[in-house]
Amino acid sequence: MEEKTIQIAGSITVDELSKSLGLSVTELIGTLFKNGIVATINQRLDFETASIILEELGLKNVKLERKNTSTKTSNYHRELSDKAVLRPPVVAVMGHVDHGKTTLLDTLLHKKTVDDEAGGITQHISAYQLKHNDRLITFLDTPGHEAFAAIRQHGAMLTDIVVIVVAADDGVKPQTVEAINFAKTANAKIIVAINKIDREGADVNRTMADLSQHGLQPEEWGGDIVMVPISAKQNQNLDQLLDMILLTADLEELKADVDIPAEGLVIESHMETGKGSVVNLLVTGGELKTGEFIVAGNTYAKVRTMLDWQGRPRGKATPSTPVTVTGFKELPSFGDRFEEAKDEKTARKMALLNAQAASDESASTNVTSSDLLRMMSTADNSKVFNVIVKGDVLGSVTSVVDSLKLIDTGGEITLNIVHTGVGDISENDVYMAAGDNTVIYGFNVNVPINISKMAARDGVPVRIYKVIYELIDDAKREMENLLEAEIVEEDKGAMKIKGVFRTEKTSIIAGGEVLDGDVKAGYLARVIQGKKQIGEAEVISVQMEKNKVDNLVAGETGGLALKTTSKIDLQIGDRLEFFTRESKKRTL
Ligand code: GDP
């Protein structure tokens, strides 16, 4: 089947999508309808919704691609001037767990920076730089799923080269495939490091064959992917790997303009006591200097301090340099683009415009994937638990979200993560949560007093925790409250009717003999005529020889007043089966 790629810039209308797919609008609307979406021809669908629909349609030969239109696109692909200069490559190391990513980075860092007087690295690193053959290489230490998330959210292309680590004794595994897909989505060059060649059972050829099965053809075999057999642990061939990185960089002619206003991407952000917001940036163009104003997303900074990845102060940073800055008014998000502003007034204005653009963007998309999930789930009667998760650093947000996803409700409750982010609970969080039964969870963050007032006014629950499992327990309780209560019935006894004194629309007075168990006011009774149940009644009072009694037990004869919801034609010889019914809260 012919492969096809459809580019989506933000969102796509039903009409456009059907045309691109070569389907009739009716067919597409029909599929949407089946998934609980009543759509019109001009309805806009976001990227995720379109992907889900494609999957529903089973169109495996069609790929969706995000087209970058917003201000958040990567600077790496901007038009360069003639004056652009070479810059260090930005490299991400990815691969399956335990295949040796950490060991590779450790060995490289140790090897290349051991002489450095800065010595022990204690700060939270999300990027570092090595020197090889007197040239710099920037490594990003970004967990795969975060990089993916950033691409999805911001279209940020952080990396030029992805080094995929594959253990030669284990071969291609799910996260290897994920890494390959990531590199392709990010339009990055791939270099494969076939690791652990020192191990018994390592088979470089088999690993290469395995990789070619997954679309990566080794150069040795006439393909275009450089594969370097290494031992990260024993420091074998790492120089060759670095050579290959630089060679790839040369072939790609990675360049950047330096005489333009500084710009780049946010690669990490968190709050620190005494320092406020601490933000790691990757400069991608221009030169960033302390004292300058920069805007990222809906916030801005006057760059107060700037440190390199080893914590040494720097006055300026050139393209491909990772730096840590302080001075942001609020925490920008991972993947946000930053750009220089000429003064504070401009910075503030730009931040405001960005905030507006972001809300316009979400408003212009009629159907989002979370709407779709919500609709899909209501379609099969399951309930939705909406949450917003805020955390002090991205890692904690990810852990909380991952743990929330692990809560097993047997499919009865769908977890809908409305929004996640780094930083204190904000006005925007409360705004998003209002009116939708959404709980805001904060992990190691604060709620400013005005925000807490706003949340109270809008009836939005805000829960702050410092321990993950306590937060998860809270979420479990919330989800338990959504579970349908369990109905427990317990049999109590039976009576044979010997006399019917009155039957009215909603009440019966009758008498009989208790065959077993007992009967008491408050019990419910199934009314059995012959073999059939003809109704249900509630015992209001019990009498024995004109006196009200607490109960009648087996062998005793007495009278009952019963309440019914509709008229029951009770007859002599019918049987009442007594029981109690309780609804019990369920737990997870
Ligand atoms: P990660 O999960 O991809 O970061 O993998 P790690 O770097 O933590 O490595 C997982 C395990 O494999 C550790 O026990 C490492 O010591 C080991 N390991 C990594 N690289 C090599 C290698 O080249 N040779 C051998 N023999 N073991 C390695």
Side-chain angles (χ1 to χ4, degrees), residues 66 68 73-77 151 155-159 185-187 265:
R66 238 174 246 278
N68 296 317
T73 34
S74 157
N75 306 296
Y76 281 108
H77 306 293
I151 287 224
M157 305 300 174
L158 293 165
T159 48
T185 321
N187 237 338
L265 296 157

Side-chain angles (χ1 to χ4, degrees), residues 181-355:
N181 291 337
F182 167 81
K184 288 187 172 162
T185 321
N187 237 338
K189 285 282 150 195
I190 294 176
I191 294 177
V192 177
I194 301 182
N195 192 28
K196 304 198 189 182
I197 53 164
D198 59 294
R199 276 222 174 148
E200 215 172 294
D203 189 336
V204 174
N205 271 321
R206 199 186 51 215
T207 311
M208 287 207 238
D210 209 0
L211 286 159
S212 22
Q213 293 282 316
H214 289 86
L216 300 188
Q217 305 297 336
E219 266 192 339
E220 282 102 315
W221 299 356
D224 59 352
I225 304 288
V226 174
M227 300 194 182
V228 189
I230 62 161
S231 167
K233 201 169 174 181
Q234 300 193 352
N235 195 357
Q236 271 184 61
N237 283 354
L238 296 196
D239 275 327
Q240 198 190 330
L241 179 65
L242 296 175
D243 285 344
M244 285 305 154
I245 291 174
L246 289 177
L247 185 68
T248 308
D250 288 343
L251 291 173
E252 288 293 298
E253 285 195 64
L254 302 173
K255 287 185 173 176
D257 275 307
V258 282
D259 52 1
I260 56 169
E263 57 186 20
L265 296 157
V266 173
I267 54 178
E268 221 271 343
S269 64
H270 64 276
M271 297 301 284
E272 247 173 61
T273 9
K275 289 190 193 159
S277 61
V278 176
V279 178
N280 292 1
L281 302 172
L282 179 72
V283 179
T284 60
E287 279 184 349
L288 181 64
K289 298 180 203 69
T290 44
E292 281 175 349
F293 286 95
I294 51 174
V295 182
N298 55 10
T299 178
Y300 72 94
K302 176 172 186 171
V303 179
R304 205 163 57 212
T305 60
M306 181 157 71
L307 305 174
D308 72 4
W309 68 272
Q310 286 171 299
R312 290 174 302 206
R314 271 185 94 114
K316 68 172 191 186
T318 49
S320 292
T321 310
V323 284
T324 305
V325 303
T326 57
F328 270 100
K329 306 280 168 213
E330 273 179 62
L331 277 185
S333 319
F334 176 72
D336 271 351
R337 197 186 107 129
F338 79 81
E339 56 194 323
E340 190 184 325
K342 70 174 195 294
D343 51 31
E344 178 150 19
K345 201 170 142 209
T346 317
R348 199 180 301 134
K349 212 159 102 194
M350 280 159 71
L352 252 167
L353 281 174
N354 281 348

Side-chain angles (χ1 to χ4, degrees), residues 94-106 165 169 195-200 230-235:
M94 298 178 82
H96 198 71
V97 63
D98 276 348
H99 278 198
K101 298 177 294 291
T102 317
T103 311
L104 174 61
L105 287 169
D106 280 354
V165 179
D169 59 348
N195 192 28
K196 304 198 189 182
I197 53 164
D198 59 294
R199 276 222 174 148
E200 215 172 294
I230 62 161
S231 167
K233 201 169 174 181
Q234 300 193 352
N235 195 357

Side-chain angles (χ1 to χ4, degrees), residues 436-468:
D436 220 4
N437 281 331
T438 303
V439 178
I440 302 179
Y441 285 109
F443 183 73
N444 265 335
V445 295
N446 296 311
V447 194
I449 186 78
N450 58 325
I451 303 298
S452 136
K453 277 189 189 147
M454 181 183 161
R457 186 198 64 207
D458 294 354
V460 173
V462 179
R463 317 260 166 81
I464 305 297
Y465 287 95
K466 285 195 177 343
V467 183
I468 271 209

